[in-house]
Amino acid sequence: MAPTDHHDETTPETTPTAAVESAGELATVHPLRKAESGPVIEGEVVSEEEWALLTSQKAQALWRYEQYRRNAVTVARVTRTAISHDRTVSTLRFVCRNALVYPSLGAAAAVKRWRDTHGSSRYERMMRAAELAGDHDKVAEWEARDVTEKQRRHERSMDWMKSPWQIAKAAAMLTFSAAVLLLVLGLVLWVAGKGGVLDPIIGVIDAIAFCVWFVISYGAFLVLAGTAGLVTYLWNLGRRSESVPPMFRPAHQRVADDVEITPSIVVTALRDLRISVLRKKIEQMEDNGAAMLSPIRLAGRGVEFDVHLPSGVDTEEVKRKRRKLAENMGRHEHEVFLSTPPSPRTIRVWAADSGALDEPIGPSPLVTDPTLTADLYSGRAPWGEDLRGDAVLLALLQCHLLITGLSKQGKTASLRALALWLALDPSVQLHIADLKGIGDWRMFKPVAKTLIEGPSDQHCIAATEMLEWGVEEMERRLEAFDGEKYRNGIPRELAKKGGPFEPIVLLVDEAQNAFMNPLKDEHKNPWGGQTNKSRYFMAARRIQNQGRAVNVVLWQGTQDPTDQNLPKLVREGAHIRAALCLGTESQARMAIGEKAVDGGAAPHELRSGLDKGTLVVAGEGVPLPPGQAAMTVRTHFIDGDDSAAVIDRAVAIRGGAEEENLQVEAPQERDLLADVAEVLGGKDIKATDVGARLRRLAPGYEPYAELTADKVKAALEDAGCPVRQKQGTLTVRARNVENAIADRADEGE
């Protein structure tokens, strides 16, 4: 078919129709209109069947890809679950720990041991540590040891150089001697007709051949057994190593990881205290500071160790950073206690197991053991436990006692625990003044000679009179005691029940009330205060000065000590001084003394409300650790019901309750009109003088303590007795008082 001519685009002409014959069929070719100007799109025209097939394959592929993704996610999830499962992790840790970690650490430890025993590295390390610590005597000592060790090793090396020739000579002599011996033995056998001359030599050769055969045949087993023994030895060394990574430790050690104290942890904690001199000294040490530490010892509920600080580092500087040191070791501040041992530049650290001090201690033996008795002369009172968990037993014979602390910290319970033990000794007289008066000491009524309960000034006066009675008894005993006959003090036979020197304990709880009593007696002497005319203060001082010699002692419990409510002379007169939680360091020094606080005692760092019953105690009779000026005690708490049960046992031991029991429970009530009539004596007296006479009449009666003329006038007029001026002065007339009394009587009828 001839080509078609193309005309101008504006003339839409069509080409003539062309018929084509192909395979017996005619095909008509239609001319196409020329496309207008625009983009050219290339594509392929497909049928509906082909399109359905293509879309089906794509969907199948997408589905397959989705299934692949889901399978991969499932496999990853299962794998992750399997790998992170506790059993899988524990199994992997077990395998790695026993197959890799322990043998590797054991090999390192064995190499270090061999190097230390066959070289001078140990001596050089100790010399550097001593030099950094500024201990020149130790440097000279380790240097001398180093020289001696090097000389010994040199002599040993020279011996090894000579040893081949000596070994050869010894082997030749041994071989010759053995050959001669065997020949002689062979001759003996030949003469006896038991064998040939060479039979012994042949036997030895056969034995050697058997040994060679055994080694060749069973050498693999021997090597295997030796290797197993070596690996077991290294495994055991590694197992006891402190360098096991935490992730490979056994489960029980991983749980206790936060409570384990190791040398590396301690050195790191010291290095990070932000004390530049200490940090530089540690970094300069060859062993990174390990030489500063003593062996870490188990001590009850925690561990204890000494830190020998290098020169230039002050112990007080480290002790001031107690909280940071505790946190660096993974402890709370109250779980780390610092004290100063006798060695210079040394700090003794006791670190509790995490949470150990928050657990309650067991009940008192006074409660759990109904057969327990007491003997003040030979026994010790069970008071509680120290931080290590050991029982604290106090020797109370002839010891004045002072316990102080903030309110609601367990002061009364701590003092009562000791008094309950004393109650079980029938020879001890108890005189108790409870100046709180809410029943904390009421269970002692059957065993106490005196029991005063109440917080008023009247009760404080009664407590003062109790102490003054103690002074009189003390003076009587001092005069009666025969020092020539009893040169070692009062023996037990004189201090038995009913004896002339039976122990007397004067116990005053809330003694600060007695010191702060504002009343004065008829001679204008104050009941409270701390002057040489203050009656309570002077009685306490006299008992503390001489009372213990004749078995008269004073026990006091005070609250929130200050110089006003706890005078210095009284607090320093106590042999045993204990303090619960206090607010400041100055109060701590008042309570337990300068020496104890300077030695590391810190009752002001106890936690208020959380450390109830925990106290710091110092003084005579306290089982202090060697070199320490104080110790921390967690006292047993004995509640009211248990205390009453102990008192019942004490009553049985004493043979019955006390009959002569003085108990002051409430302030005395007085009749104002009757008292005024008594002091007037039928005469008219100025109101000012009436107030003074009333105070002399009832020196301990609080309403009369501060009566002035105006107050007398107001009080009498309230009672129905008028008071008028006479010559410009308020005067109480006897006639008016009598009339008021008569009127009151008429009203009563």
Side-chain angles (χ1 to χ4, degrees):
M1 184 177 66
T4 304
D5 296 334
H6 296 276
H7 297 278
D8 187 72
E9 294 178 356
T10 61
T11 307
E13 296 183 356
T14 58
T15 58
T17 304
V20 180
E21 184 178 353
S22 174
E25 295 182 355
L26 293 177
T28 303
V29 178
H30 300 279
L32 300 175
R33 187 186 299 262
K34 238 183 169 182
E36 297 180 359
S37 59
V40 178
I41 300 175
E42 294 183 359
E44 180 181 358
V45 178
V46 297
S47 65
E48 293 183 359
E49 293 79 6
E50 293 175 337
W51 175 251
L53 180 62
L54 289 174
T55 55
S56 176
Q57 292 176 348
K58 184 176 181 181
Q60 292 176 2
L62 292 175
W63 179 82
R64 286 196 301 272
Y65 295 151
E66 179 64 20
Q67 294 301 315
Y68 295 156
R69 188 188 67 79
R70 291 183 179 179
N71 292 338
V73 171
T74 302
V75 171
R77 186 176 301 164
V78 171
T79 304
R80 183 179 60 186
T81 302
I83 293 176
S84 60
H85 192 272
D86 292 342
R87 185 170 297 176
T88 304
V89 172
S90 61
T91 301
L92 291 175
R93 282 176 174 167
F94 177 82
V95 172
C96 294
R97 178 172 63 248
N98 291 279
L100 298 176
V101 177
Y102 284 172
S104 301
L105 293 176
V111 170
K112 184 177 180 180
R113 286 184 181 182
W114 185 90
R115 187 173 64 248
D116 287 343
T117 55
H118 292 79
S120 59
S121 59
R122 174 187 299 175
Y123 303 98
E124 294 174 357
R125 184 169 63 249
M126 298 304 294
M127 277 193 294
R128 283 191 291 269
E131 185 177 3
L132 289 174
D135 193 341
H136 301 292
D137 294 336
K138 287 290 185 182
V139 172
E141 179 183 349
W142 285 109
E143 186 177 8
R145 293 186 181 184
D146 183 34
V147 171
T148 303
E149 175 62 19
K150 288 180 178 179
Q151 180 64 27
R152 186 189 67 80
R153 286 181 17 250
H154 173 72
E155 294 175 355
R156 185 178 179 183
S157 300
M158 297 302 296
D159 292 340
W160 276 108
M161 293 178 62
K162 301 175 182 178
S163 62
W165 170 246
Q166 295 176 351
I167 291 174
K169 285 176 57 179
M173 291 295 297
L174 181 61
T175 303
F176 177 76
S177 301
V180 172
L181 179 62
L182 293 174
L183 286 175
V184 171
L185 181 60
L187 288 174
V188 172
L189 293 175
W190 178 73
V191 171
K194 301 295 183 178
V197 177
L198 299 178
D199 286 350
I201 297 177
I202 295 173
V204 171
I205 295 174
D206 291 341
I208 295 173
F210 173 78
C211 292
V212 173
W213 171 84
F214 182 83
V215 170
I216 294 174
S217 300
Y218 298 96
F221 297 101
L222 296 175
V223 172
L224 182 61
T227 304
L230 177 62
V231 171
T232 302
Y233 171 74
L234 297 178
W235 176 87
N236 189 46
L237 282 181
R239 181 177 61 87
R240 294 181 294 174
S241 174
E242 296 181 352
S243 302
V244 180
M247 65 176 298
F248 292 113
R249 293 177 182 173
H252 66 280
Q253 292 185 5
R254 287 198 307 276
V255 172
D257 180 64
D258 59 336
V259 302
E260 183 178 1
I261 299 294
T262 62
S264 60
I265 290 177
V266 176
V267 172
T268 304
L270 292 169
R271 186 195 62 195
D272 295 340
L273 286 180
R274 294 186 178 179
I275 301 176
S276 58
V277 177
L278 179 60
R279 184 182 184 90
K280 291 178 181 178
K281 295 286 187 180
I282 291 175
E283 292 175 348
Q284 292 173 2
M285 293 182 182
E286 184 71 19
D287 57 356
N288 295 322
M292 296 192 306
L293 306 181
S294 70
I296 298 178
R297 307 174 295 273
L298 291 176
R301 294 185 177 92
V303 295
E304 186 180 64
F305 55 89
D306 291 345
V307 179
H308 185 69
L309 299 174
S311 59
V313 181
D314 186 7
T315 56
E316 291 299 324
E317 195 174 4
V318 176
K319 290 166 67 175
R320 284 194 296 267
K321 294 182 176 289
R322 172 176 170 239
R323 173 179 295 181
K324 191 168 189 63
L325 177 63
E327 293 175 350
N328 290 347
M329 293 193 299
R331 296 293 187 276
H332 296 292
E333 182 181 11
H334 71 277
E335 294 176 331
V336 174
F337 290 84
L338 307 180
S339 58
T340 306
S343 303
R345 282 205 326 272
T346 303
I347 292 178
R348 181 160 296 162
V349 182
W350 185 86
D353 297 336
S354 293
L357 298 186
D358 296 327
E359 300 174 358
I361 65 173
S364 171
L366 296 176
V367 177
T368 59
D369 186 1
T371 63
L372 185 66
T373 59
D375 188 337
L376 182 60
Y377 264 73
S378 60
R380 290 177 175 266
W383 204 16
E385 297 179 355
D386 61 12
L387 296 177
R388 296 167 176 80
D390 300 329
V392 175
L393 305 175
L394 262 61
L396 300 175
L397 177 63
Q398 297 181 346
C399 287
H400 302 302
L401 175 67
L402 172 65
I403 299 180
T404 185
L406 299 180
S407 178
K408 298 180 66 176
Q409 300 303 313
K411 168 178 54 63
T412 298
S414 302
L415 188 59
R416 190 172 63 188
L418 296 177
L420 286 171
W421 182 79
L422 283 183
L424 296 175
D425 186 347
S427 66
V428 177
Q429 287 188 26
L430 290 172
H431 299 263
I432 300 174
D434 175 16
L435 300 184
K436 184 189 299 181
I438 60 172
D440 289 337
W441 296 88
R442 192 159 299 165
M443 70 284 296
F444 281 82
K445 185 176 180 180
V447 296
K449 288 285 188 181
T450 306
L451 180 60
I452 302 168
E453 291 183 289
S456 69
D457 293 337
Q458 181 70 19
H459 295 97
C460 295
I461 291 174
T464 303
E465 292 174 344
M466 181 183 76
L467 262 64
E468 290 176 342
W469 171 86
V471 173
E472 294 175 359
E473 177 66 16
M474 174 192 71
E475 292 175 346
R476 183 195 66 78
R477 293 185 176 193
L478 288 172
E479 293 178 1
F481 182 68
D482 187 356
E484 291 293 332
K485 184 177 180 180
Y486 303 104
R487 298 184 178 181
N488 295 322
I490 298 174
R492 183 54 172 164
E493 56 266 21
L494 295 181
K496 293 182 179 180
K497 184 177 181 179
F501 296 95
E502 59 181 350
I504 295 176
V505 176
L506 305 167
L507 191 154
V508 182
D509 194 13
E510 305 295 342
Q512 75 277 358
N513 292 333
F515 284 111
M516 301 298 289
N517 188 355
L519 301 184
K520 296 182 180 180
D521 62 12
E522 65 275 10
H523 302 294
K524 303 293 185 180
N525 294 323
W527 292 97
Q530 50 183 318
T531 66
N532 57 3
K533 293 185 178 180
S534 301
R535 294 181 62 172
Y536 183 88
F537 171 73
M538 292 304 297
R541 285 296 303 137
R542 293 176 69 181
I543 292 173
Q544 288 181 336
N545 287 339
Q546 298 175 304
R548 66 173 297 183
V550 288
N551 282 349
V552 179
V553 297
L554 174 62
W555 289 12
Q556 297 181 99
T558 65
Q559 186 182 119
D560 197 13
T562 64
D563 285 328
Q564 288 71 38
N565 63 23
L566 186 60
K568 180 179 180 181
L569 292 177
V570 173
R571 62 179 184 251
E572 291 186 351
H575 303 110
I576 300 175
R577 301 168 67 177
L580 295 105
C581 177
L582 293 172
T584 63
E585 182 179 338
S586 62
Q587 286 184 320
R589 294 182 180 275
M590 290 181 190
I592 59 176
E594 300 280 346
K595 180 180 178 181
V597 175
D598 291 338
H604 55 287
E605 294 182 356
L606 295 173
R607 301 169 298 168
S608 178
L610 297 177
D611 291 326
K612 282 187 177 182
T614 300
L615 48 78
V616 180
V617 60
E620 183 180 338
V622 182
L624 296 176
Q628 294 190 18
M631 70 183 303
T632 302
V633 180
R634 304 173 71 199
T635 59
H636 294 296
F637 175 72
I638 306 176
D639 61 21
D641 294 336
D642 291 334
S643 298
V646 175
I647 292 298
D648 291 341
R649 288 163 34 207
V651 171
I653 293 174
R654 290 170 177 259
E658 293 287 347
E659 295 180 358
E660 299 178 2
N661 186 295
L662 172 62
Q663 184 171 5
V664 181
E665 296 182 350
Q668 180 184 5
E669 295 294 337
R670 302 189 67 88
D671 185 350
L672 176 62
L673 292 176
D675 287 345
V676 172
E678 182 179 351
V679 298
L680 291 178
K683 299 179 181 179
D684 298 342
I685 300 177
K686 293 186 293 185
T688 304
D689 294 340
V690 170
R693 293 189 181 189
L694 287 174
R695 284 192 291 272
R696 288 197 295 270
L697 176 65
Y701 190 52
E702 188 172 357
Y704 295 167
E706 298 179 357
L707 283 178
T708 61
D710 292 334
K711 291 182 179 180
V712 169
K713 178 178 181 295
L716 288 176
E717 288 181 347
D718 289 341
C721 176
V723 178
R724 300 289 183 265
Q725 288 188 357
K726 182 179 180 181
Q727 298 180 356
T729 304
L730 288 175
T731 303
V732 180
R733 300 179 184 272
R735 183 182 59 190
N736 293 341
V737 175
E738 294 172 358
N739 292 337
I741 294 175
D743 293 341
R744 185 178 62 182
D746 294 338
E747 292 176 0
E749 294 177 357

